[in-house]
Amino acid sequence: MTTYALDARTATDHFPGIGRYVRNLARALAPQLAADERLLLLVDPRQEAELELPPGEGQIRHVPLPVSPFSLRQQWAVRRLLRAERVSVYHSTYYLMPYWPGVPTVLTVYDLIPQRFPRTVSLQARLLAGVATRLALRAADRVVTISEASRADLAQTYPRVAGRVTAIPLAPDPAFAPQPPAVESELRQRYALPPRFTLYLGSNKPHKNLLRLVEAWATLPAEEVLVIAGAWDRRYPAVRHYVASHGLGERVRFLGPVTEADLAALYSAATLFVFPSLYEGFGLPVIEAMASGTPVACSDRSSLPEAAGDAALFFDPEDAGAIAATLRRLLADQTLRAGLRQRGLEQADRFSWTRTAAATLALYRDLTAAT
């Protein structure tokens, strides 16, 4: 029996993006395992109830690992567990990991934000990320990135790992699809949203470029409403200050975090989705919006053109005028929005967790065959 271990301790609310990756990868790996393969999901039993992982049955087993990824204790606890379970390949989904795991290892690297945008993180966090990333890359026999853009960034920043890196794109969760009008209407009523609004979903960290978005929004027609949803980091108050000081309170709404259960309806109810980010490992919200039938306008930087293909209107994210012109054009042209909606649905269909899992499983098998 060949045993693979996927570290699922990051499938929690503390790691929203990574958690979604782990959950969907685990679900899609399960039905693709051969008869002589099994998958161990390493979980912290203190959080297991909230993880939404596939059940531990058949060739899938949940293995308790009550050690935080932030704990030094994982350096020996994980290695001991992998040895006891006779694991053939260990897959770490975070760079804080056991750096001497003792078995062939796959590491997923999502982006290089601390290295590419050093001013967006504290000096302490930057130093930790730099050291931990180097240790993680040294420990990994294979490295997965979530886009070709991220693969190129990684190879440029850490040339010695270039030959070990494979780009395996993400995909939208199957829950993201156009929603019935009644579902959209109920969501609008519950969140007090207007019949027509533009949506941004994501954090307010500096590389997300929200300040330029609201600067652009201030020049659009007064009846248009921008809805900003997602976790809010209080270290970066500039966007809220701008909205308040420029009297945009009626035209820019802050929803804060939205439950997973409401995300599909929120995307689907929006007139369009805007994503002005300067840097993304993949840009999953763009694909989620497309899968939900929402036309997309987004930045032309980093991995976003790769994810969006020809199904979005692109703009220079460092030019507020260009952002405004793109949004103004899209908001005024229903035919253009309808065309982007159709192309977006087709683009989203090009990504699937089944294909993502198949490519990941192929890495596991290659590593197993090489040992």
Side-chain angles (χ1 to χ4, degrees):
M1 180 68 72
T2 303
T3 301
Y4 309 123
L6 176 63
D7 201 328
R9 290 175 296 155
T10 51
T12 67
D13 290 342
H14 185 79
F15 303 94
I18 299 176
R20 190 174 297 172
Y21 168 77
V22 172
R23 286 190 293 271
N24 281 293
L25 179 61
R27 291 168 186 162
L29 280 170
Q32 299 190 54
L33 294 172
D36 62 346
E37 296 174 322
R38 65 172 181 163
L39 179 66
L40 306 184
L41 301 177
L42 310 187
V43 298
D44 188 333
R46 297 166 296 188
Q47 300 173 313
E48 189 169 4
E50 67 184 72
L51 299 184
E52 300 180 9
L53 293 166
E57 57 189 25
Q59 292 166 265
I60 308 294
R61 186 156 68 88
H62 292 196
V63 178
L65 182 60
V67 182
S68 166
F70 299 99
S71 170
L72 180 63
R73 192 158 65 91
Q74 76 164 333
Q75 295 303 321
W76 56 88
V78 176
R79 180 186 175 99
R80 187 165 56 237
L81 184 151
L82 298 176
R83 184 183 302 152
E85 295 287 348
R86 298 184 178 180
V87 168
S88 301
V89 174
Y90 166 65
H91 186 171
S92 176
T93 56
Y94 193 46
Y95 63 80
L96 295 182
M97 58 175 284
Y99 299 123
W100 294 271
V103 301
T105 295
V106 174
L107 167 70
T108 300
V109 176
Y110 308 91
D111 55 56
L112 293 179
I113 290 172
Q115 293 88 339
R116 299 300 295 268
F117 291 86
R119 287 180 293 180
T120 67
V121 296
S122 68
L123 176 61
Q124 181 181 10
R126 192 159 69 245
L127 291 173
L128 173 62
V131 171
T133 299
R134 288 182 183 278
L135 288 172
L137 291 172
R138 189 177 68 177
D141 298 274
R142 298 286 190 276
V143 179
V144 172
T145 62
I146 56 178
S147 67
E148 287 293 342
S150 289
R151 185 196 60 75
D153 282 349
L154 191 67
Q156 181 181 22
T157 308
Y158 302 100
R160 291 185 179 181
V161 306
R164 292 185 274 133
V165 183
T166 302
I168 303 178
L170 305 184
D173 188 288
F176 294 109
Q179 301 296 300
V183 173
E184 294 179 2
S185 178
E186 190 277 334
L187 177 122
R188 285 194 192 93
Q189 184 174 12
R190 188 151 40 86
Y191 283 92
L193 298 175
R196 174 180 165 111
F197 65 91
T198 295
L199 175 66
Y200 164 82
L201 177 69
S203 77
N204 63 317
K205 291 181 179 178
H207 73 278
K208 296 294 187 178
N209 201 35
L210 273 185
L211 183 57
R212 279 205 186 89
L213 174 59
V214 296
E215 288 172 353
W217 197 260
T219 70
L220 296 184
E223 66 271 15
E224 300 293 351
V225 175
L226 174 66
V227 171
I228 296 175
W232 195 263
D233 191 325
R234 294 181 180 179
R235 293 175 297 173
Y236 310 111
V239 174
R240 285 185 182 271
H241 287 170
Y242 186 94
V243 168
S245 64
H246 287 74
L248 298 175
E250 296 298 316
R251 299 180 52 205
V252 179
R253 289 276 314 279
F254 296 95
L255 292 191
V258 176
T259 65
E260 289 283 332
D262 283 341
L263 280 181
L266 182 63
Y267 277 123
S268 186
T271 303
L272 64 92
F273 179 75
V274 59
F275 205 62
S277 182
L278 298 171
Y279 181 85
E280 292 293 317
F282 179 74
L284 192 56
V286 165
I287 299 298
E288 292 172 344
M290 290 179 174
S292 303
T294 303
V296 171
C298 70
S299 161
D300 61 4
R301 300 297 167 84
S302 169
S303 63
L304 293 177
E306 182 182 336
D310 67 350
L313 282 191
F314 294 101
F315 51 73
D316 178 352
E318 297 187 84
D319 184 344
I323 298 173
T326 302
L327 293 176
R328 191 177 293 112
R329 178 187 173 199
L330 194 47
L331 287 165
D333 192 334
Q334 185 174 356
T335 301
L336 177 59
R337 293 200 305 273
L340 286 178
R341 180 184 192 275
Q342 184 57 42
R343 294 211 301 272
L345 289 168
E346 294 167 359
Q347 177 69 5
D349 279 344
R350 295 188 174 100
F351 301 93
S352 81
W353 281 105
T354 297
R355 287 192 287 274
T356 297
T360 306
L361 186 57
L363 280 185
Y364 296 173
R365 289 169 175 163
D366 285 348
L367 265 181
T368 302
T371 57

